[in-house]
Amino acid sequence: FVYFFLHEASIFVYLIFITSIFGAALIVARGFALWGKYRLDYAGVTNQISGMVETGAYNQALQICNGGHHPMTEIMKAALTRANRSEKEIRRGVERVAMDEMHKFKGYTHLLPHISNIATLLGLLGTIKGLITSFAGLSSGDAAARTEMLSLGVSEAFTATFFGILLATMTITAYLVLHGKQGADTGRIEHGVASVVDSLLSRQAELR
């Protein structure tokens, strides 16, 4: 494998390899973020903060939100700090913070399909380059030279195709897993924030 990369790989295979490094780094970073950095008991935190809001224990609820930086607790904190304001102000503050926090939460997962497309296109370019090499060899007068050029061109074409499709498949598979996890957590965050805001507005209505 090392000999192949040092002596036989085409420029497109090198480009696919470089692309794979960026793809792998992004996959690892997003996996760590979703399963490590942003790991949270969404239902437990939501129920706990909603219960405190219903009893008017806003300070205790804020302490929980300040316990760790997570998009859901940061958005909830935006609502809690506006507990004495109007519904419009509460929702506006929540939306503003949610835009910033959810942008950080989603990260650059959306780039993975583009990396997959780039890998496929690089593989296709390598295939075409190999075919050009093969057809160019047919114009040679020496039979041995023609056979060598044809073999070299076909090898170059199939190698680029293999690595391009391999990277594209692995990248898009990782994207589906990460996007599914990200979508599920986004839904939990939206449900949790909506529950806290509803509890907050209900508490305001009771006090009136």
Side-chain angles (χ1 to χ4, degrees):
F1 185 78
V2 174
Y3 177 85
F4 167 78
F5 265 93
L6 292 177
H7 301 282
E8 299 180 8
S10 66
I11 182 63
F12 296 105
V13 174
Y14 284 115
L15 292 175
I16 292 171
F17 179 71
I18 294 172
T19 304
S20 70
I21 295 175
F22 286 102
L26 180 56
I27 290 169
V28 171
R30 293 305 301 153
F32 171 76
L34 293 173
W35 277 277
K37 180 180 178 181
Y38 294 126
R39 185 177 180 179
L40 185 71
D41 180 9
Y42 292 97
V45 172
T46 299
N47 293 334
Q48 188 176 13
I49 294 180
S50 295
M52 291 178 178
V53 169
E54 290 173 358
T55 59
Y58 297 144
N59 291 333
Q60 295 180 16
L62 283 171
Q63 288 178 359
I64 295 176
C65 292
N66 291 326
H69 184 82
H70 189 280
M72 189 174 78
T73 55
E74 291 296 317
I75 300 171
M76 288 178 176
K77 185 165 66 175
L80 293 171
T81 54
R82 295 168 175 80
N84 297 324
R85 302 185 186 180
S86 65
E87 178 181 352
K88 183 177 181 180
E89 290 181 292
I90 293 174
R91 294 193 182 279
R92 185 180 298 170
V94 166
E95 290 174 0
R96 183 168 57 250
V97 175
M99 289 179 61
D100 295 335
E101 292 298 326
M102 294 310 297
H103 176 73
K104 298 175 185 177
F105 177 76
K106 293 179 179 179
Y108 296 98
T109 307
H110 64 280
L111 294 180
L112 287 175
H114 299 294
I115 293 176
S116 177
N117 291 334
I118 291 173
T120 303
L121 292 174
L122 288 173
L124 179 59
L125 288 172
T127 303
I128 295 173
K129 173 64 168 54
L131 293 176
I132 291 173
T133 302
S134 298
F135 285 116
L138 296 177
S139 61
S140 175
D142 186 3
R146 287 200 302 269
T147 302
E148 182 180 357
M149 290 296 291
L150 180 62
S151 176
L152 178 63
V154 171
S155 175
E156 182 179 338
F158 281 116
T159 300
T161 303
F162 170 76
F163 281 109
I165 294 178
L166 178 63
L167 176 58
T169 303
M170 294 175 64
T171 304
I172 204 65
T173 301
Y175 168 76
L176 292 175
V177 174
L178 292 170
H179 188 263
K181 171 66 173 175
Q182 182 176 286
D185 287 351
T186 299
R188 295 186 184 100
I189 291 172
E190 292 175 351
H191 178 268
V193 172
S195 298
V196 170
V197 171
D198 288 343
S199 298
L200 190 60
L201 296 177
S202 298
R203 176 67 180 177
Q204 285 184 346
E206 291 177 1
L207 293 176
R208 293 194 191 99

